[in-house]
Amino acid sequence: IDLSSHYNLELHRPGGGDFAGLAVGTQTLGGTPFDVRGIIHLNGQLAKQDGAEYPESIMGIRVGRTCRWLHFLQGTGWDAASGTEVGKYVLHYADGQQRELPIIFGRDLENWWFQGAPPEMNDPDGAVTVWTGNNLKAANDGYSIGLYESTRTNPRPDVELESIDFVSSMSPAAPFLVALTVDSAAGRARPAQVARTKVAHDDAGPSRRFAPR
């Protein structure tokens, strides 16, 4: 799906806090082809407190076709407690109906900065880490960076999906979307994953760091 009219952040930027090493263009990650050219970044509580001016929602991402599966390539800046709803995708169908897909931290995505091996979600059917890399800021602090593919079932696969709204819940974490691919394969193929490990969350509260700014 072409997201270019909605991008509000570039993948590669000066300053050392970007997606250095992530190729721009069509590429296969975790076995899924993605159009990777920019970032749709939403706001969150901690991002807003730090002065970020990201929108709280992006409306009307055009799909215009039927599909069975939706593959979201995504992550967050800042952390939230596992199980927190950090946002949602609102699906708008050609017959006027709509459905919502909540975006849950620790199931559908994680912070894009991590230490050690890439994170494992707390649901066996949750997202997987399909890309890892580094940038100057992360490396200086002993971190790596990653992106997570969340494959979701379209609740109404036989009806044209006209568009999708991407909405933040304004939790501590700020969600972002890099790419979206839809398909109508008969069965769901689990994305191929890189080596993973559980992420330990700080009981003192979510981190204020690590927005791709």
Side-chain angles (χ1 to χ4, degrees), residues 16 21 24 107 115 143 188 197 210:
V24 176
R107 184 193 74 183
Q115 285 184 307
Y143 284 78
R188 174 184 175 182
T197 188
F210 313 152

Side-chain angles (χ1 to χ4, degrees), residues 141-156:
D141 287 340
Y143 284 78
S144 298
I145 59 176
L147 287 171
Y148 312 101
E149 179 182 347
S150 174
T151 299
R152 310 292 293 270
T153 303
N154 180 0
R156 306 185 72 216

Side-chain angles (χ1 to χ4, degrees), residues 15-16 113 134-144:
W113 280 38
N134 222 313
N135 63 35
L136 183 60
K137 287 185 177 180
N140 285 343
D141 287 340
Y143 284 78
S144 298

Side-chain angles (χ1 to χ4, degrees), residues 67-71 151-154 181-188:
C67 61
R68 188 170 300 276
W69 309 106
L70 302 103
H71 307 271
T151 299
R152 310 292 293 270
T153 303
N154 180 0
T181 294
V182 301
D183 72 68
S184 297
R188 174 184 175 182

Side-chain angles (χ1 to χ4, degrees), residues 34 70-74 89 91 101 108 127 148-152 164 177 179-181:
F34 286 107
L70 302 103
H71 307 271
F72 299 96
L73 187 65
Q74 58 191 6
Y89 295 109
L91 312 182
L101 300 178
D108 303 314
Y148 312 101
E149 179 182 347
S150 174
T151 299
R152 310 292 293 270
I164 299 176
L177 176 66
L180 167 62
T181 294

Side-chain angles (χ1 to χ4, degrees), residues 90-99 156 159-161 163:
V90 182
L91 312 182
H92 296 274
Y93 295 93
D95 62 0
Q97 293 196 37
Q98 67 181 48
R99 297 290 188 273
R156 306 185 72 216
V159 182
E160 180 182 333
L161 177 57
S163 65

